[in-house]
Amino acid sequence: MKRSISGTETMDRLDAMEMAVAAIDEGSLAAAARRFGRSAAAATRAVALLEEGAGETLLLRTTRGLRLTEAGERHAAIWRDVLARLAETRNQQEPNVVSGTLVLTAPELFGRLKVAPVLESFLELHPKVQTRALLLNRMVDMASEGVDVAIRLAHLQDSSMVAVKLGEVRQVICASPAYLSRCGQPQEPADLSDHHCIGVNPYGNRDLWTFRQKAGSPRTRSVQVQTQLSITSAGAGLDAALRGKGLVRALSYQVAEPLTAGHLRRVLTPFEPEAVPVSMVFRPNPRRWSPVRGFVDHAVPLLRRELTQIAAFIDWLPTPQD
């Protein structure tokens, strides 16, 4: 049964749920309205309808966009579940078809190099899926930002989410052969004070790099290095290292190809810290034929194979110390 909204447009609660979820995913009411070809006022009224039914504020507008209240997070989870159930019911009329919207996040460079090709192959198999990929170098709050799947390169804290381990990546220090020939090879982290280092700290010319306290030790320490070049993009830092501008700290997946080609060489290998796990995180029990379930089933084996190959290559690769 339709409910009158301001006498000019009608919208039932399911319409309102779809609009509110879209606003959470898009980060604004105006963007949600554009997705459905509606007016911005219609999106505002959709949220008002849901808040009227809930009897409390669910969405807050801030200078940075929309933010869910604590009650809003609870309600948003219910909206998504209801909409997913309806999508599953519709899919029963067209069995074995994955359809709907998938929102995922990953670190910018890992997302561009490793996740994007897997996502593209997934979409080729499932043309009725629409996706939004948030490739950001920050920890995205999955609940408040409407994210279905997250790729994390970090040790994870306990949570209600499911975490599937995909593999591991290592932190490595690299430089071009030309730079090492010109400036010499560091033998231990203390030698970095005599080298040009490339940092990813936009706020100053010093950076903290983590190393084992001594070769083979499980304990680590942070070494402050003077960075001649500080830059906000890991990709741009790697480009500078390839041009012979200094030593760069990178993750193994980022440098696998230039190491293979001999364009970069790995140094200080005995002092590298323990590998960091790579995980895919999502809500428990994704529904059959949902985009989340489809993407997890498609992406996990592909990313596991990719990371296994990179780890095997990094372990095999000769280093200047050998």
Side-chain angles (χ1 to χ4, degrees):
M1 181 176 181
K2 298 286 185 180
R3 174 185 178 124
S4 174
I5 307 292
S6 77
T8 59
E9 295 183 1
T10 59
M11 180 180 300
D12 63 19
R13 291 189 181 276
L14 289 176
D15 294 332
M17 288 179 191
E18 288 186 331
M19 187 73 80
V21 168
I24 296 166
D25 292 346
E26 297 286 353
S28 77
L29 293 171
R34 287 194 295 272
R35 180 191 290 190
F36 291 102
R38 308 289 291 275
S39 67
T44 301
R45 287 192 289 270
V47 173
L49 175 62
L50 295 172
E51 291 183 330
E52 179 185 345
E56 54 189 328
T57 300
L58 304 176
L59 279 173
L60 297 174
R61 298 192 200 191
T62 70
T63 55
R64 298 179 62 182
L66 295 177
R67 182 173 66 83
L68 285 166
T69 63
E70 184 176 344
E73 291 185 5
R74 295 195 302 270
H75 280 268
I78 294 171
W79 301 336
R80 292 183 188 279
D81 184 64
V82 168
L83 295 173
R85 288 174 182 269
L86 286 173
E88 186 174 1
T89 300
R90 297 187 189 106
N91 287 343
Q92 290 175 359
Q93 302 172 1
E94 194 175 5
N96 302 349
V97 173
V98 178
S99 65
T101 300
L102 173 72
V103 181
L104 66 89
T105 186
E108 188 272 332
L109 199 54
F110 189 82
R112 177 163 64 85
L113 296 177
K114 305 303 177 185
V115 178
V118 172
L119 179 59
E120 290 165 5
S121 64
F122 171 69
L123 293 177
E124 289 177 0
L125 293 173
H126 304 290
K128 291 194 175 183
V129 174
Q130 299 83 43
T131 62
R132 292 178 60 239
L134 309 178
L135 305 184
L136 302 169
N137 293 323
R138 64 176 174 84
M139 192 69 75
V140 172
D141 186 299
M142 295 180 67
S144 64
E145 299 189 48
V147 172
D148 301 306
V149 177
I151 309 295
R152 306 291 201 204
L153 277 63
H155 294 282
L156 301 178
Q157 297 180 345
D158 291 337
S159 75
S160 60
M161 296 288 188
V162 174
V164 176
K165 186 175 179 179
L166 303 174
E168 296 178 331
V169 293
R170 304 193 67 86
Q171 181 191 103
V172 299
I173 308 297
C174 297
S176 71
Y179 174 84
L180 295 175
S181 176
R182 185 174 70 250
C183 299
Q185 177 188 311
Q187 299 299 317
E188 57 183 40
D191 295 341
L192 294 176
S193 60
D194 298 324
H195 282 268
H196 298 309
C197 296
I198 301 166
V200 191
N201 176 13
Y203 304 109
N205 61 350
R206 295 183 183 275
D207 211 348
L208 288 176
W209 291 5
T210 303
F211 296 96
R212 294 180 189 268
Q213 285 192 354
K214 58 182 179 179
S217 170
R219 298 174 64 87
T220 60
R221 63 190 176 106
S222 295
V223 175
Q224 189 176 74
V225 298
Q226 184 84 20
T227 55
Q228 185 185 38
L229 171 64
S230 290
I231 197 162
T232 59
S233 164
L238 287 172
D239 290 343
L242 287 165
R243 291 191 292 268
K245 300 305 180 183
L247 293 155
V248 69
R249 181 179 63 163
L251 292 174
S252 50
Y253 80 88
Q254 298 171 341
V255 293
E257 290 187 11
L259 285 173
T260 302
H263 299 316
L264 289 177
R265 295 176 68 184
R266 189 167 155 217
V267 301
L268 297 176
T269 308
F271 298 94
E272 291 173 1
E274 292 291 334
V276 176
V278 181
S279 305
M280 182 177 293
V281 180
F282 50 93
R283 295 177 184 84
N285 304 314
R287 299 188 179 280
R288 192 180 183 190
W289 311 123
S290 69
V292 173
R293 176 70 173 272
F295 182 74
V296 170
D297 290 346
H298 177 79
V300 166
L302 295 177
L303 290 173
R304 274 181 175 165
R305 183 173 62 193
E306 176 78 7
L307 289 169
T308 298
Q309 291 174 345
I310 291 172
F313 168 75
I314 290 293
D315 288 340
W316 165 83
L317 188 71
T319 65
Q321 287 90 347
D322 294 334

